[in-house]
Structure formats: structure tokens, C-alpha cells
């Protein structure tokens, strides 16, 4: 079993609920896709190429300030549950952790983490430099990874084309290689059925949305990852400014929707959020999806000031620890054990009872 | 953008054809594209790249409205061909971008609305800074190439950029 306590705050600093707009925005993540000009891109690479990339990056990382004390996880040496843990903490992609079919980890797949930044190695691109911050913090997250990018780029030859910019395995990432995502909770827009209009509007201005775990994942618990669609033809700052402006707009829409709900259907909303709380507080079995949806209801209740018994930190903690691999580790069973739903309900009841006891 | 055929669904396939010596671009939804015999499913996936690549393949087979090398050309860096790229949607190495430059320029323009990186400029270790993409000399070279390959859309864009750069001096 890997020791996640080695990570700064167990790799969970971004979930502490302390960042700007954290009542709506869970986290901000930015990644830069980079490749070494000295090796073929990952999809065409051999195991020896990928070992070469890993060795090169690990050696120069020691010379940098931003990654000098980084912890390295070799995913090809980890059990599935451990890889899933890293994925559930949003530190590695599903692809790198090989959680889909056929489930074989690519030789050389690795993760370096220090403070709030990290680098995925031998993902679709050789390097995916990533930064994760609590709340809505595009500038801060970019500053973190810009330093990593500069320090590594001074020591390793990145693939760069004078016209096209940074070269990536997939042409959708070429140019800046920058994808910024804001993980935002939008139950008000979902309940007022305004969400599809908002998402369509975002598509028209070059933004896209994904689910809780990024690319290819489904929307659960009304969490949406909003991010830039294109990476070329705009500067890094323009991409961040544009996304930032649109996210602020979405926050305003969500707040409006919540006010409409409180004004027009107060009883229905109150009933909905308290039912969610009641189920979480007393249920004897809970699936992951049901938990996410109920947590969404309680989070809405907390945001509207209807529920005062629970804090954001506890809600975030529940969000992380009720995920299958986290819960399995906590309960000492396998993530596919049929007991898991019973253990999940026990864990949620315990945490909410403690919190209610504290808050009275 | 709405589908040119049904005017209902969003256009996801952009089909360039030559009909009676005229280049015509049709913007189609997935359903109407399928009716016209343009695949956008199974082999190429549902990504915009996959869909574009499908139409790109058709275009090239139909007599070459796309500039650039034929499917048989191999990247000297990694041995990948344009067909490999069409199948996987992934380039093989940095050299692929040079080898298939003109095809990729067109693809990038469709994907991103531009093929020109204006973000941070990278200086490789031990190198002097790269010249900016819009140096007049480079633009003139690209313009000549665009005219030679009869890519008039690109040529017009380059001409404008060249004017802007020369105007600044």
C-alpha cells in the first residue's frame, strides 16, 4: 500500500474549502502538455523510450527548486487500488493509472508531486505538468506550473515549432498545451433546467465541460469541470482570462438560479436538501453515485444557509473518502467488495454524527 | 454552426469537395454526413479530430483538395505515415509536424481557428532565442509556398500578416 501521507496534506490541500468562491468552486486545475524532442511521442514509443523520458526528467527535477523534493510514484509498480487512490485524488488520469480496459499499466508511467504541482510522465504526452488549487484560483495555479515548466524547459529540449508552438501527440493540444479546468457545483442551474442552455452558451465561446474526473467522465453530484477547448492562437493569459470571465458569469447565473428557487419553491427546496441530509445521516447502505447526489443536495442546503450542521470541509472530506478506493482502504476491504456500500453508509453516518455533535 | 442539409442539428463534419471545378465546403451534422457516405464513427472515433480526419481522408482520395504529402510519405523521425495519423488521431513525434506541415496547418486552423502560436516562446537549452513566427522573412517564405501550393486561403492570411508586420516597422 502506498503511503499518501507522504504527500503534502495527503495530496488534499486543494479540498480544504479555503480558496476563493469555494462555496461553489471546488478546485482549479491547469495542465501544460510538453514533449521531449529527443524521443517519439508516447503512443509511438517503446518501453525503452519511456524509461529514457522518466530517467531524464527525474534527474533534472533534482536540479530545480519547484521539483527538488518531489515524491515519485512509479505507476507500473503499484497495485490497482493504489493507482485508483491517486486517480481519485485527481493526481493521475484514468489512462495513466490504467483503470479502464485492458488495465495494463504502460511501462514508465509515473507521477512526480511536490506541493501543489506535479508532473504526469509518459501519459499521452511525455510530460503533463499540472497544478491544483482549492477554489477558483486560475492565476495562482498557473504561477505554480509556469515555474515548473520554465525550470524543466531550461534543462530538457521540449518539442517546439516556431509557428505551431509546443508540439503534442494530439493536435487538439498544440500551441500552449494549456488546459485549465474549474470544478464547479451547479445544482441551481440543474434544478431550474437552465444548465443545458448555459453549457451550449459555453460551447459557443470555445469552452467545454466534463465530469468530476475530467475527460470521458460522467457528471455526478452536479459537479462540472469547465475548461478551454482550444489551445492555439491565444496566449496563455488570454486563455485564462477568457475562462475566468466565463466562470464568473456561470457563478452569477448559479446564484441567480438559487435565488429563484428560494423565492418560487422554498418548501420544495427545503424538503429536498433536508431529505438529502436525512438519508446521509441515517441510511444503512449507500452507493457511490447516490452519495454524490445526496452530498450535492446537502452542499446546496449549506450554500443557501438552510443547513448549518455541516461545514464545507466535512462535505469535501466525504466527497474524497466515499470514493471506492479511498473507502476500501479505510475499511480494509477490496474496492469491489459487496460490503462497500454498507461501509460507506457507516462512514458517512459517523462523520455527520461527529460534526452535528460539535456544532450542536 | 447548423447543418447545411437539415438546418436542425449542429454541423460536426466539414466536407470539402470539388464539383464542376468549384471547391465546395459542406458543413454537416453526423446524421446527414452518414447519409452522404462520410464515416465519422467506429474507426475514427467521435472526436472532432476523428471527424475531420475522416473527411480529410475522403478529400485526399477524391483527388487531392488537401495540400501536402500523399498517404505513403513517411516521417523520417519515427516512420509514421499520414494514414497512421488518420487512424489513431495521434502524431508520432516532433518531426511529424514538419513532415506533414501543410496538412496539419489546415487541420489546426479548423480545430483551433488559427495555426499560429502566440503564447510563450520557448528557448531550448543552450540555444539563442528562436526568431518570432511573424518575422517578415519567414512570412514571405510561407507566402511563396502557399502560392506555389495554390492554398489561396492561407496566402490571403499570410499577406495580411505580412502587411501588418511591415506596417509596424
Amino acid at each position: 500500500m502506498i503511503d499518501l501521507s507522504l504527500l503534502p496534506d495527503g495530496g488534499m490541500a486543494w479540498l480544504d474549502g479555503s480558496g476563493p468562491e469555494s462555496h461553489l468552486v471546488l478546485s482549479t486545475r491547469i495542465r501544460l502538455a510538453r514533449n521531449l524532442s529527443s524521443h517519439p511521442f508516447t503512443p509511438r514509443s517503446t518501453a525503452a523510450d519511456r524509461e529514457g523520458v522518466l530517467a531524464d526528467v527525474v534527474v533534472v527535477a533534482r536540479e530545480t527548486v519547484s521539483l527538488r523534493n518531489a515524491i515519485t510514484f512509479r505507476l507500473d509498480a503499484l497495485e490497482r487500488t493504489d493507482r485508483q487512490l491517486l486517480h481519485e485524488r485527481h493526481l493521475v488520469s484514468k489512462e495513466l493509472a490504467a483503470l479502464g480496459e485492458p488495465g495494463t499499466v504502460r511501462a514508465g508511467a509515473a507521477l512526480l508531486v511536490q506541493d501543489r504541482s506535479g508532473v504526469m510522465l509518459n501519459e499521452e504526452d511525455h510530460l503533463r505538468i499540472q497544478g491544483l488549487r482549492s477554489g477558483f484560483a486560475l492565476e495562482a495555479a498557473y504561477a505554480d506550473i509556469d515555474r515548473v515548466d520554465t525550470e524543466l524547459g531550461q534543462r530538457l529540449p521540449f518539442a517546439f515549432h516556431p509557428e505551431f508552438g509546443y508540439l503534442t501527440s494530439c493536435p487538439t493540444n498544440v500551441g500552449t498545451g494549456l488546459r485549465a479546468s474549474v470544478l464547479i457545483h451547479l445544482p441551481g442551474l440543474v434544478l431550474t433546467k437552465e444548465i443545458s442552455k448555459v453549457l451550449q452558451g459555453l460551447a459557443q465561446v470555445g469552452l467545454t465541460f466534463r465530469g468530476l474526473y475530467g475527460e470521458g467522465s460522467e457528471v455526478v453530484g452536479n459537479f462540472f469541470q469547465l475548461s478551454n477547448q482550444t489551445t492555439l492562437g491565444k496566449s496563455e493569459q488570454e486563455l485564462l482570462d477568457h475562462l475566468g470571465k466565463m466562470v464568473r458569469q456561470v457563478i452569477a447565473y448559479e446564484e441567480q438560479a438559487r435565488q429563484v428557487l428560494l423565492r418560487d419553491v422554498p418548501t420544495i427546496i427545503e424538503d429536498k436538501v433536508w431529505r438529502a441530509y436525512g438519508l446521509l445521516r441515517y441510511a444503512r447502505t449507500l452507493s457511490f453515485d447516490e452519495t454524490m447526489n445526496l452530498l450535492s443536495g446537502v452542499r446546496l442546503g449549506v450554500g443557501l444557509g438552510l443547513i448549518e450542521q455541516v461545514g464545507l470541509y466535512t462535505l469535501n472530506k466525504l466527497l474524497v473518502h466515499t470514493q471506492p478506493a479511498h473507502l476500501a482502504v479505510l475499511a480494509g476491504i477490496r474496492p469491489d467488495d459487496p460490503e462497500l456500500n454498507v461501509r460507506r453508509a457507516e462512514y458517512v453516518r459517523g462523520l455527520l454524527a461527529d460534526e452535528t455533535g460539535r456544532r450542536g | 454552426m447548423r447543418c447545411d442539409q437539415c438546418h436542425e442539428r449542429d454541423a460536426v463534419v466539414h466536407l470539402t469537395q470539388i464539383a464542376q471545378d468549384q471547391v465546395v465546403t459542406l458543413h454537416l451534422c453526423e446524421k446527414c454526413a452518414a447519409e452522404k457516405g462520410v464515416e465519422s464513427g467506429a474507426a475514427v472515433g467521435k472526436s472532432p479530430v476523428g471527424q475531420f480526419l475522416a473527411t480529410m481522408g475522403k478529400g485526399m482520395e477524391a483527388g487531392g483538395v488537401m495540400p501536402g504529402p500523399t498517404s505513403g510519405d513517411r516521417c523520417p523521425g519515427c516512420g509514421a505515415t499520414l494514414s497512421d495519423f488518420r487512424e489513431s488521431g495521434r502524431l508520432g513525434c516532433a518531426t511529424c509536424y514538419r513532415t506533414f506541415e501543410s496538412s496539419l496547418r489546415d487541420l489546426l486552423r479548423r480545430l483551433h481557428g488559427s495555426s499560429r502560436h502566440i503564447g510563450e516562446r520557448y528557448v531550448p537549452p543552450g540555444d539563442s532565442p528562436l526568431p518570432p513566427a511573424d518575422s517578415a522573412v519567414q512570412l514571405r517564405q510561407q507566402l511563396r509556398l502557399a502560392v506555389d501550393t495554390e492554398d489561396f486561403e492561407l496566402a490571403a492570411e499570410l499577406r495580411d500578416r505580412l502587411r501588418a508586420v511591415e506596417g509596424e516597422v
Side-chain angles (χ1 to χ4, degrees), chain A residues 41 153 156 161-163 168-169, chain B residues 91-92 97 101 105 117 121-122:
Chain A
F41 296 158
L156 293 166
H161 183 286
E163 182 187 351
T168 53
S169 171
Chain B
L91 275 312
Y97 278 92
E101 195 170 278
R105 181 174 292 116
H117 173 63
R121 299 217 70 78
Y122 176 62

Side-chain angles (χ1 to χ4, degrees), chain A residues 162-165 232-234, chain B residues 108-109 114-119 133-134 139 157 161:
Chain A
E163 182 187 351
F164 302 154
L232 183 61
K234 287 200 177 82
Chain B
L108 292 174
R109 234 182 270 140
S114 166
S115 65
R116 192 161 59 101
H117 173 63
I118 58 162
D134 266 4
L139 284 175
E157 189 192 319
R161 272 159 54 188

Side-chain angles (χ1 to χ4, degrees), chain B residues 89-161:
Chain B
R90 301 290 182 273
L91 275 312
C93 69
T95 313
C96 286
Y97 278 92
R98 297 260 179 218
T99 314
F100 312 120
E101 195 170 278
S102 53
S103 305
L104 287 171
R105 181 174 292 116
D106 199 63
L107 170 62
L108 292 174
R109 234 182 270 140
R110 289 177 191 234
L111 285 172
H112 299 274
S114 166
S115 65
R116 192 161 59 101
H117 173 63
I118 58 162
E120 201 179 277
R121 299 217 70 78
Y122 176 62
V123 183
D127 254 37
S128 54
L130 291 165
D134 266 4
S135 73
V137 178
Q138 242 178 346
L139 284 175
R140 229 171 269 126
Q141 269 173 2
Q142 289 175 17
L143 177 58
R144 206 170 306 129
L145 189 72
V147 172
D148 287 349
T149 54
E150 298 185 6
D151 186 350
F152 298 118
E153 199 187 336
L154 174 66
E157 189 192 319
L158 288 167
R159 184 202 55 210
D160 293 345
R161 272 159 54 188

